[in-house]
Amino acid sequence: MKENKTKPDIRFKGFTDDWEQRKLGEIVGIYDGVHQTPKYQDSGIMFLSVENISTLQSTKYISEEDFKRDYKVYPQENDILMTRIGDVGTTNVMTDNTLKAYYVSLALLKYKNTNPYFLSNAMQSNYVQKGLANRTLKTAVPMKINKDEIGKVDVILTAAVEEQSKIGSYFKNLDNLITLHQRECNQLKELKKTMLKKMFPRDGSNIPEVRFAGFTDDWEQRKLGDVTQIIMGQSPDGSTYSETPKDYILVQGNSDIKDGWVEPRLWTTQMTKKADVGDLIMSVRAPAGSMGKTAYNVVIGRGVAAIKGNEFIFQSLIKKDIEGFWKKITTGSTFESLNSNDIKNSNLLVPVNEEQIKIGQYFSQLDNLITLHQRELEILKNLKKTCLKRMFI
């Protein structure tokens, strides 16, 4: 950003005046949370800390007596909370007057004449984030910004109340959309965890709790190596690796898998062991047991194995991972790993008819819904990043 820039790139129609530079301390009152760890209880006044900034909801509570003793100033509707220990500079706006307590890891910003949604997002701009970073004690563990330093940070804003209101409303609506998709995505993920428990047999049983109509037969135990082909990876010569597209996509571990699919990150010109389109990819090193699929023909390194299995097998292995099965059989004291025999000899309960296909289809559709919401969420988050750059200075 040029130092003499006084107007954002994008504005609502009708606004042309220069924006002005102010200190945060001139436009908000800044307050501290309690420094001592409170005495928690099951109900009472909700207690917020840095990890609660995205939702402003918590499962921790303190008594009304402690609240009255420790909080002469407390969050109210349209106030801003900002993280200041560990994570520095993330903000959120209070939406109601329900009493809430807050820890020292959060700073309370009480706005004076500034639209809170405008200011909260202005504080996410690169300009303000850089100012906060410059005053953050990075040598502290965890890093933090002192309360008095927050007020010294510069922010550039419009003095026009109507322009602040329009910008604030735009970002409030965008944040609500992001929250909606995040909530739906989280709910679908929780649904999947629940159905993995109910549609696969529990320990000691050979039939699941929930089944498709028409299926009553017991499931049968098989070893994974007997029902599918498993190929352990072999890393190419490191000198052949490239971050620009070459002959083959290289998969080395969990870092090459995003949202359950291989995502090209590295390439190689050397073919060692390979996996084909549609194969299942298992990480065999930390975190051992995490699963993905590949939509590419790939070279697999030592950190992964390729499994030629169907959708049912894929979901079965995901269930094992969620339940911590693989962690129980990993080897290595400092670097956990799974060997070929560990994987091949692992037991699976499987239906021996088309129930297997129906279960696979159900979870595939559920995964597609999750992916859809994740993509929408990513689009909205990227839109917000772009708007923060172009609608603020």
Side-chain angles (χ1 to χ4, degrees):
M1 189 199 76
K2 295 180 180 178
E3 293 299 323
N4 61 351
K5 188 173 181 180
T6 58
K7 297 179 182 180
D9 295 333
I10 296 177
R11 303 183 78 170
F12 285 97
K13 188 176 180 180
F15 300 101
T16 58
D17 291 344
D18 289 352
W19 286 22
E20 57 187 45
Q21 181 174 294
R22 303 282 297 277
K23 299 288 184 186
L24 274 173
E26 296 173 1
I27 56 178
V28 295
I30 303 172
Y31 303 90
D32 231 353
V34 293
H35 287 238
Q36 72 277 10
T37 301
K39 182 179 179 181
Y40 298 124
Q41 55 184 46
D42 294 333
S43 61
I45 308 299
M46 186 177 290
F47 185 84
L48 302 175
S49 189
V50 64
E51 65 269 16
N52 308 123
I53 191 64
S54 63
T55 62
L56 297 183
Q57 296 294 315
S58 171
T59 56
K60 295 178 180 179
Y61 299 87
I62 63 172
S63 68
E64 292 186 24
E65 181 182 0
D66 287 352
F67 180 81
K68 290 177 180 178
R69 181 194 67 210
D70 294 331
Y71 293 93
K72 307 306 177 192
V73 180
Y74 50 85
Q76 294 175 292
E77 185 177 5
N78 288 329
D79 288 346
I80 297 171
L81 286 171
M82 186 196 90
T83 57
R84 71 179 197 86
I85 296 179
D87 168 43
V88 175
T90 301
T91 60
N92 206 345
V93 179
M94 295 291 298
T95 58
D96 59 51
N97 282 314
T98 304
L99 293 179
K100 289 185 173 68
Y102 66 107
Y103 193 46
V104 65
S105 58
L106 297 172
L108 173 62
L109 281 58
K110 284 190 168 286
Y111 79 110
K112 297 175 182 177
N113 298 312
T114 307
N115 180 288
Y117 293 97
F118 170 84
L119 182 59
S120 178
N121 283 285
M123 291 178 66
Q124 299 306 305
S125 67
N126 290 337
Y127 184 77
V128 177
Q129 288 292 305
K130 183 178 179 181
L132 289 167
N134 288 339
R135 295 183 178 276
T136 294
L137 297 171
K138 297 180 179 64
T139 55
V141 180
M143 66 179 187
K144 65 179 181 179
I145 185 169
N146 290 327
K147 179 180 76 73
D148 293 341
E149 292 297 307
I150 298 171
K152 299 174 185 177
V153 173
D154 290 323
V155 59
I156 301 177
L157 46 78
T158 173
V161 174
E162 188 179 355
E163 186 174 18
Q164 283 193 17
S165 178
K166 283 182 177 291
I167 295 172
S169 294
Y170 174 81
F171 279 96
K172 180 181 179 182
N173 291 334
L174 187 54
D175 285 338
N176 286 341
L177 273 176
I178 290 172
T179 299
L180 175 65
H181 280 283
Q182 184 68 70
R183 184 181 299 124
E184 290 179 345
C185 193
N186 291 342
Q187 289 172 346
L188 285 168
K189 288 179 179 179
E190 286 303 313
L191 172 62
K192 179 174 180 179
K193 287 182 182 180
T194 299
M195 297 313 291
L196 281 172
K197 290 179 181 179
K198 291 180 176 294
M199 295 181 72
F200 287 82
R202 296 178 182 271
D203 288 344
S205 176
N206 56 10
I207 57 171
E209 180 181 343
V210 174
R211 307 185 79 168
F212 288 100
F215 298 103
T216 58
D217 292 343
D218 289 355
W219 289 23
E220 299 181 1
Q221 184 168 284
R222 297 281 191 273
K223 291 190 182 298
L224 181 60
D226 292 337
V227 296
T228 186
Q229 180 185 359
I230 299 167
I231 304 169
M232 303 300 291
Q234 178 183 339
S235 295
D237 183 343
S239 66
T240 68
Y241 297 170
S242 172
E243 293 184 1
T244 55
K246 294 288 186 181
D247 294 351
Y248 309 110
I249 296 169
L250 176 63
V251 183
Q252 293 180 302
N254 196 50
S255 58
D256 298 307
I257 298 173
K258 182 179 180 182
D259 298 332
W261 287 92
V262 166
E263 186 170 89
R265 183 177 65 93
L266 288 174
W267 282 261
T268 179
T269 57
Q270 182 184 0
M271 174 67 75
T272 50
K273 296 291 186 70
K274 72 182 184 73
D276 301 319
V277 172
D279 282 353
L280 315 180
I281 305 296
M282 172 187 280
S283 171
V284 299
R285 294 183 177 180
S290 57
M291 296 296 303
K293 300 178 189 175
T294 178
Y296 310 91
N297 295 321
V298 297
V299 172
I300 53 174
R302 290 183 61 194
V304 295
I307 300 173
K308 295 188 177 299
N310 60 18
E311 188 69 28
F312 175 85
I313 297 294
F314 180 61
Q315 301 297 338
S316 298
L317 296 178
I318 288 176
K319 182 174 183 288
K320 279 184 173 291
D321 184 33
I322 291 174
E323 293 176 344
F325 171 81
W326 303 112
K327 290 186 180 298
K328 297 175 185 176
I329 62 171
T330 55
T331 57
S333 56
T334 58
F335 195 79
E336 65 178 35
S337 63
L338 291 166
N339 62 45
S340 177
N341 287 333
D342 292 332
I343 301 170
K344 291 177 180 178
N345 292 327
S346 62
N347 292 320
L348 292 179
L349 280 168
V350 298
V352 292
N353 49 35
E354 67 175 16
E355 184 178 13
Q356 193 174 135
I357 297 172
K358 285 186 173 291
I359 292 172
Q361 289 174 339
Y362 171 81
F363 281 101
S364 178
Q365 290 169 357
L366 195 52
D367 282 345
N368 288 340
L369 271 177
I370 292 171
T371 298
L372 177 64
H373 281 289
Q374 286 175 329
R375 286 174 180 168
E376 290 288 340
L377 187 60
E378 197 67 28
I379 289 170
L380 288 168
K381 287 181 176 179
N382 287 334
L383 173 62
K384 181 174 180 179
K385 287 180 183 178
T386 300
C387 290
L388 284 172
K389 289 180 180 179
R390 305 201 67 190
M391 294 178 71
F392 290 98
I393 298 175

